[in-house]
Amino acid sequence: MNTKIESQAAAFVLNAGEARRDSWVKPTLKVGAADSGGLLSVHEGILPPHEPGPPLHVEDASECMFVIEGSLTVQLDNEVHEVSSGGFVWIPRDTPHAWVNSSPGPTRILAVSVPGGEEEMFLERAEYLRSVHGRPNPELVNEIATRHGGRVVGPPLPVPESESAM
């Protein structure tokens, strides 16, 4: 039997708003690699209105995102898709992808990464961002992603203009 699976955590329940670890790190960790024997990580993310997600990037893990509330503009390779509440996105490993909140309200996403471990990158990035006064250095943010199996391959999606700005 796989020894990683034997080391998984006992069953647990999280209430709304609770995190498995490091509640100050965003997105919120619901299940991590330590919980699942390395099999997967599950996060809940909330993106404010008309906010960008990460720049176009690739990762060593496959991911999926379920839009709980709001809507996203998602880029997969060279295709751009609008994904609204109830929509689902599958992102095989090494697929360039980026997203932006394209709605006037917050967008909530449930994301799963396989294999697990993405939470370590989120933790290291959050620790760096907490230490920065002013604008973060994009090269350092990319170095953090690279240490954890990801890399930036292009710019972020443009932020849609809010209706109030028109």
Side-chain angles (χ1 to χ4, degrees):
M1 176 171 256
N2 184 335
T3 56
K4 283 186 174 181
I5 294 174
E6 290 175 8
S7 66
Q8 69 186 8
F12 61 90
V13 173
L14 297 175
N15 292 313
E18 290 184 325
R20 185 68 174 141
R21 170 186 106 180
D22 307 313
S23 62
W24 57 274
V25 176
K26 302 302 177 205
T28 303
L29 180 66
K30 299 298 185 179
V31 173
D35 300 318
S36 67
L39 295 175
L40 58 84
S41 296
V42 179
H43 293 88
E44 178 185 11
I46 300 175
L47 203 55
H50 303 289
E51 280 287 320
L56 190 66
H57 65 287
V58 295
E59 297 170 27
D60 289 343
S62 294
E63 295 178 271
C64 63
M65 297 188 305
F66 179 77
V67 179
I68 300 168
E69 174 184 4
S71 61
L72 293 174
T73 301
V74 177
Q75 179 178 350
L76 301 172
D77 283 321
N78 295 318
E79 295 183 12
V80 176
H81 306 269
E82 293 299 321
V83 184
S84 59
S85 179
F88 181 83
V89 180
W90 170 246
I91 310 163
R93 62 181 275 242
D94 294 326
T95 300
H97 60 288
W99 58 89
V100 62
N101 180 347
S102 53
S103 65
T107 293
R108 290 180 51 224
I109 306 161
L110 184 68
V112 179
S113 298
V114 178
E118 189 173 41
E119 64 273 13
E120 300 307 324
M121 186 273 300
F122 292 140
L123 175 61
E124 185 178 348
R125 183 183 65 195
E127 288 172 340
Y128 164 68
L129 293 174
R130 280 174 67 164
S131 74
V132 172
H133 302 287
R135 295 182 62 99
N137 180 334
E139 290 177 12
L140 288 177
V141 173
N142 193 36
E143 285 176 22
I144 292 168
T146 300
R147 274 196 290 281
H148 296 279
R151 72 182 188 286
V152 173
V153 296
L157 284 171
V159 175
E161 289 188 36
S162 67
E163 292 175 13
S164 62
M166 293 181 182

